[in-house]
Amino acid sequence: VPTPRVRRELLAAPNLALLAQTLLAEHPDAADEAMQVLWTLVESGDAGAVGRLYKTGFFFFALAYQGPRLEVVAKALKASHMRQDWYRGKDADSLDATDPANSVLIELLPESLVCFLQRHPPEEFAKMFLADSDSPEALWRHSMRARLASAMQAHIAGFAARVREDVLA
């Protein structure tokens, strides 16, 4: 059975990138809706297109996101971070899908946070990510999140400025 046209269109690289870029908008409702669509596409989408989500900048945008409702972003992160092709070689089938070292986020977050994301619901990850945590499972401070968001925003600053001028950048 062929993939429905609307799903094929949304999974096309330019449209997937536009969904990811809504995290740069300063409109939380638009970001929430786009992340809900992105989550739906990741959960039921083409593995090849989903595996290239990292090329849209989504993971940088998600970690830099300062909006009020991080739960929907965490839901999309949880669904997609282990499905990326960035680290895979020719023997992708032999990789352990539960090993945090195979997550695209391992280069951006402490391993304990990646493990926390894997083991807990997105709502718990979002709550922990926004607060101070002294749990042995994941040590995380608000100051660490501020530093991460600052680094992500500095990394994407030029692109974010271009997108504000031309949404098709």
Side-chain angles (χ1 to χ4, degrees):
V1 169
T3 306
R5 183 173 183 198
V6 69
R7 185 165 297 163
R8 275 194 323 268
E9 292 295 325
L10 286 170
L11 285 168
N15 298 326
L16 208 53
L18 284 173
L19 284 172
Q21 290 167 15
T22 59
L23 290 173
L24 299 175
E26 295 173 3
H27 197 284
D29 292 333
D32 283 356
E33 292 299 324
M35 290 304 100
Q36 190 63 40
V37 169
L38 188 63
W39 175 79
T40 302
L41 289 170
V42 167
E43 283 296 305
S44 61
D46 170 37
V50 169
R52 295 184 300 275
L53 182 61
Y54 73 96
K55 292 182 179 181
T56 68
F58 167 68
F59 296 99
F60 290 100
F61 305 153
L63 295 175
Y65 183 67
Q66 297 291 309
R69 296 179 295 266
L70 192 64
E71 293 83 8
V72 181
V73 177
K75 195 173 170 181
L77 275 173
K78 182 175 179 80
S80 61
H81 77 105
M82 292 297 289
R83 297 181 181 179
Q84 300 308 298
D85 292 337
W86 72 279
Y87 61 86
R88 297 179 189 250
K90 292 181 182 175
D91 59 343
D93 293 333
S94 67
L95 292 174
D96 181 3
T98 62
D99 184 357
N102 294 330
S103 169
V104 69
L105 295 174
I106 201 68
E107 300 292 326
L108 305 170
L109 293 175
E111 186 175 345
S112 62
L113 244 51
V114 176
C115 290
F116 193 92
L117 178 62
Q118 285 180 265
R119 293 184 187 126
H120 296 279
E123 298 77 19
E124 284 185 37
F125 176 80
K127 184 179 173 185
M128 190 274 309
F129 193 68
L130 293 172
D132 289 344
S133 172
D134 286 331
S135 162
E137 194 171 19
L139 297 174
W140 187 250
R141 299 262 180 264
H142 185 270
S143 60
M144 295 165 79
R145 178 171 188 255
R147 192 169 169 192
L148 174 68
S150 176
M152 293 294 119
Q153 288 169 347
H155 182 71
I156 62 175
F159 178 74
R162 282 198 332 257
V163 167
R164 284 188 193 94
E165 293 171 8
D166 177 14
V167 294
L168 298 176

